[in-house]
Amino acid sequence: MSFTAFLLAAAVLAITPGPGIAYVVARTVAGGRTEGLASCVGTAIGGLVHVLAAAAGLSLIIAQSATAFSVIKYLGATYLVYLGIRILRSKPQDLAESEALSALGAKRAFRDGMVVEALNVKTAMFFLAFLPQFVNGAELILPQVMILGSICVLLNTLADVLAVFAADRLLDTGIAHAARARLMLSVSGITMIGLGVLLALTRRHT
């Protein structure tokens, strides 16, 4: 898969409404823009923890067995299709539902964001499914995963920051917002399913 394909997929996934965006928006509503931005930095660091874990784990797997690494790629492609189906079946309002939060201050928002993201099992599973699809098993895995993973975290953080600045509009429950959210979910779901299928088919011919 080309680097352009990776960037396209990572960008689409970054702007998909999900728990990360919902969290930073909720933090912004509770404690203002400063607290929201602090939570963005925290979730970014938490995301890098998953990148490090994925890089170390995948490097160990490829060192032990090239076949095992190929299996990981196939399972990852299947998982991407599964996520795409889940996204298509979800409702925009489901992503906006979150518990009411109270103001914590920037330092606490930063710390909580980092802990919440670092302990997010779904993030770990996603990185293990997504990143191997774009690395070359014949070359060193560690630097490849670190670079690609860091790009993913950067794009996700940029999306979170934009969400903070647009919190009032994102929390709007009007019909226009619901339509935009539905469109984003549809595009993201279809993109993820298509990516998973393409990756699986490509593996069969190489």
Side-chain angles (χ1 to χ4, degrees):
M1 280 293 162
S2 68
F3 184 67
T4 300
F6 165 77
L7 284 179
L8 176 60
V12 170
L13 298 178
I15 63 175
T16 302
I21 289 180
Y23 176 75
V24 299
V25 168
R27 281 265 60 94
T28 302
V29 173
R33 181 181 298 177
T34 299
E35 192 167 308
L37 292 175
S39 68
C40 290
V41 177
T43 55
I45 294 178
L48 289 175
V49 171
H50 289 293
V51 173
L52 288 171
L58 293 172
S59 295
L60 179 61
I61 290 173
I62 190 61
Q64 297 296 324
S65 171
T67 300
F69 186 70
S70 296
V71 171
I72 290 292
K73 287 189 174 185
Y74 275 111
L75 291 177
T78 302
Y79 184 63
L80 291 177
V81 173
Y82 166 74
L83 288 180
I85 294 174
R86 285 284 303 274
I87 289 175
L88 289 176
R89 296 182 61 184
S90 66
K91 299 178 181 179
Q93 56 265 34
D94 293 340
L95 299 175
E97 293 177 355
S98 59
E99 297 181 3
L101 300 177
S102 58
L104 299 174
K107 290 183 179 180
R108 177 69 181 278
F110 164 77
R111 186 178 66 202
D112 284 1
M114 181 172 57
V115 172
V116 167
E117 186 64 17
L119 298 180
N120 189 339
V121 177
K122 290 183 179 180
T123 300
M125 291 178 63
F126 175 76
F127 274 124
L128 286 174
F130 184 67
L131 296 180
Q133 313 303 327
F134 299 94
V135 301
N136 185 348
E139 300 179 3
L140 292 177
I141 300 297
L142 183 62
Q144 293 182 75
V145 175
M146 286 296 298
I147 293 174
L148 296 178
S150 296
I151 292 174
C152 283
V153 171
L154 175 61
L155 292 175
N156 290 341
T157 302
L158 290 175
D160 288 347
V161 170
L162 290 176
V164 168
F165 282 101
D168 289 338
R169 299 182 65 180
L170 287 175
L171 289 176
D172 181 15
T173 57
I175 296 177
H177 170 67
R180 289 194 299 270
R182 181 69 262 173
L183 177 62
M184 290 179 67
L185 286 174
S186 298
V187 171
S188 299
I190 292 173
T191 298
M192 200 174 299
I193 292 174
L195 178 63
V197 172
L198 177 61
L199 290 169
L201 292 177
T202 300
R203 295 297 184 273
R204 292 193 181 99
H205 294 291
T206 56

